[in-house]
Amino acid sequence: MDNRIQRLREQFLENLQRANAAEAFEELRVQYLGKKGEITGLLKNMASIEPERRKEYGALVNQLKEEAENGIKKRMEEAHARELNARIAATERYDLTLPSMVRQGSYHPITLVQREVEQIFASMGFTIEDYDEIVDDYHCFEALNIPKHHPARDMQDTYYLSNGQLLKTHTSAAQNAIMKKYGAPLRAIFPGRCFRNESTDACHENTFFQMEGIMIDENISISNLIYFMKTMLSEVFQRDVKVRLRPGFFPFVEPGFELDISCLICGGEGCPSCKNSGWLELCPCGMIHPNVLKAGGIDTEKYTGFAFGLGLTRLAMMKYGIKDIRDLNSGNLKSLDQFVK
Ligand code: FA5
């Protein structure tokens, strides 16, 4: 190898060994490979080389140039990795003894109110049941005395799935299965998420929670129904709440009622949360229709029963003074983490 090239190579490799920081590598690059760099100079020098040696000389310089470029790159990467490891080892290590910076989690207001209502009914001998969110037409409608093409289906704008099943529009969809599971006498509540293709506003969501309750036994009457509803509401609110019962039509109860409570957001004066009526539809209920009992395998000569469909989401709104139902599904931690318990 040409002596000059050989000397420059040795000098470069020595300097490269010594360099260990980003700035030092940049200096080396300028010193050897920059416009006025020493290796670049060798190339510029080509004209002064005898023509018969030029080819070999050019190849050697280019080889050195490539070696220098690759050498700088490799050592830079090694230095970067060393730096990173040192930083992780020294300064960015987790200190497991430090107090957590993560905010404490909280239960959703609907979970809180659901648990409260569950406890109240459990203390009165009701079992708590879980039921599917995807159900079939029979359970959601037909077993509830709502045959195909019955106009009552229009009250619940339903999300149908391509396989013919549907998203449960109300917790009543579990009545039939639970009657068949336990027979009579029976006391059960079954909370669940319901889905309807609703236009949303301050008191309507397309996804909301209800809690269904049924009690079937000998001699069950409307007075039992009223007693259980009143007990539940006075326990939940721990104060007097004005309620009103008015006739309501649901094909699966006879007679049927709408139980409304005086809006606790506006004190009954009217606001968007109660559609300016001062009352909020909270808990439709009634005496279970004999066709529904029969479909559930219950002896209608011996037993009667009541059912209710409590609007759990609305109950949470009233209990916690939440003005807009949409806040509850918003995932907005600012409003939801007030309920840390
Ligand atoms: C029903 O769903 C009946 N299955 C209830 C029932 C059960 C009646 C047993 C008789 C016997 P309704 O569609 O009215 O009824 O809904 C019941 C409650 O769910 C309402 O009073 C309301 O509190 C709540 N609810 C209904 N739709 C919505 C909605 N879009 N957003 C929030 N809550 C709703």
Side-chain angles (χ1 to χ4, degrees):
M1 191 187 282
D2 184 289
N3 277 347
R4 282 176 61 207
I5 301 176
Q6 178 62 24
R7 253 184 282 119
L8 194 60
R9 182 172 181 271
E10 283 164 11
Q11 183 203 64
F12 166 76
L13 290 176
E14 220 172 277
N15 287 341
L16 183 62
Q17 268 318 306
R18 263 188 250 124
N20 57 13
E23 311 83 64
F25 293 116
E26 179 55 16
E27 272 172 31
L28 269 187
R29 199 193 57 76
V30 174
Q31 184 185 342
Y32 289 95
L33 299 165
K35 258 191 191 160
K36 294 182 183 159
E38 299 184 39
I39 297 178
T40 320
L42 287 182
L43 280 172
K44 283 183 189 160
N45 204 27
M46 190 84 97
S48 67
I49 305 293
E50 307 88 73
E52 61 278 12
R53 282 192 57 234
R54 246 179 234 164
K55 193 172 170 203
E56 185 199 359
Y57 176 87
L60 286 172
V61 178
N62 273 327
Q63 196 182 321
L64 174 60
K65 185 176 171 233
E66 202 176 310
E67 189 181 359
E69 282 169 350
N70 290 340
I72 291 174
K73 187 167 169 247
K74 182 163 174 269
R75 294 270 293 131
M76 260 177 95
E77 283 169 1
E78 285 168 4
H80 181 70
R82 263 199 316 277
E83 233 172 81
L84 197 68
N85 285 340
R87 227 169 55 212
I88 291 169
T91 55
E92 294 183 357
R93 204 168 36 202
Y94 290 115
D95 182 347
L96 295 175
T97 63
L98 282 176
S100 163
M101 302 284 285
V102 180
R103 279 192 298 187
Q104 194 187 349
S106 60
Y107 285 113
H108 194 280
I110 295 174
T111 306
L112 293 174
V113 92
Q114 176 182 324
R115 290 186 175 178
E116 202 169 331
V117 177
E118 280 175 359
Q119 253 172 22
I120 296 164
F121 277 101
S123 74
M124 298 190 287
F126 284 70
T127 61
I128 302 159
E129 298 294 320
D130 200 12
Y131 195 66
D132 306 338
E133 288 182 346
I134 296 178
V135 297
D136 57 24
D137 188 274
Y138 176 78
H139 286 93
C140 201
F141 298 121
E142 298 215 12
L144 291 168
N145 206 25
I146 314 177
K148 288 203 168 54
H149 312 298
H150 191 290
R153 291 196 179 205
D154 294 346
M155 296 195 292
Q156 303 184 356
D157 199 349
T158 308
Y159 293 110
Y160 286 94
L161 308 181
S162 51
N163 65 0
Q165 289 190 296
L166 50 96
L167 297 184
K168 173 168 83 180
T169 53
H170 56 171
T171 42
S172 305
Q175 280 194 16
N176 182 270
I178 287 166
M179 285 179 202
K180 283 181 177 155
K181 183 172 170 191
Y182 292 108
L186 165 63
R187 293 179 190 202
I189 52 168
F190 26 108
R193 187 162 33 184
C194 306
F195 309 85
R196 293 184 196 174
N197 184 21
E198 300 259 15
S199 312
T200 58
D201 60 27
C203 60
H204 289 86
E205 255 293 7
N206 49 31
T207 305
F208 56 95
F209 285 80
Q210 290 184 344
M211 182 180 289
E212 191 91 356
I214 49 178
M215 179 172 182
I216 300 170
D217 210 332
E218 290 176 40
N219 303 318
I220 296 293
S221 69
I222 295 171
S223 40
N224 297 106
L225 167 64
I226 294 171
Y227 166 81
F228 280 104
M229 293 297 97
K230 272 192 173 163
T231 308
M232 184 269 296
L233 289 173
S234 59
E235 290 278 332
V236 169
F237 290 105
Q238 295 288 311
R239 61 176 152 140
D240 253 1
V241 184
K242 241 170 60 188
V243 297
R244 72 176 185 190
L245 208 58
R246 59 194 167 88
F249 173 71
F250 302 92
F252 35 96
V253 285
E254 179 58 40
F257 306 98
E258 288 281 4
L259 187 145
D260 304 334
I261 67 168
S262 169
C263 178
L264 299 175
I265 305 280
C266 60
E269 295 200 338
C271 68
S273 312
C274 59
K275 281 209 222 144
N276 295 311
S277 69
W279 294 93
L280 199 77
E281 268 180 37
L282 186 69
C283 187
C285 48
M287 299 303 293
I288 304 174
H289 195 288
N291 288 350
V292 176
L293 290 174
K294 277 185 208 143
I298 307 285
D299 178 356
T300 51
E301 294 295 316
K302 191 166 173 199
Y303 296 108
T304 49
F306 68 73
F308 62 85
L310 175 65
L312 212 51
T313 305
R314 290 200 186 154
L315 186 65
M317 288 171 73
M318 292 296 109
K319 168 130 178 137
Y320 296 112
I322 298 165
K323 292 191 181 126
D324 195 315
I325 196 169
R326 290 165 291 197
D327 286 343
L328 290 164
N329 283 358
S330 69
N332 179 352
L333 293 181
K334 257 194 197 153
S335 55
L336 295 177
D337 71 4
Q338 299 162 38
F339 300 96
V340 175
K341 259 208 173 171

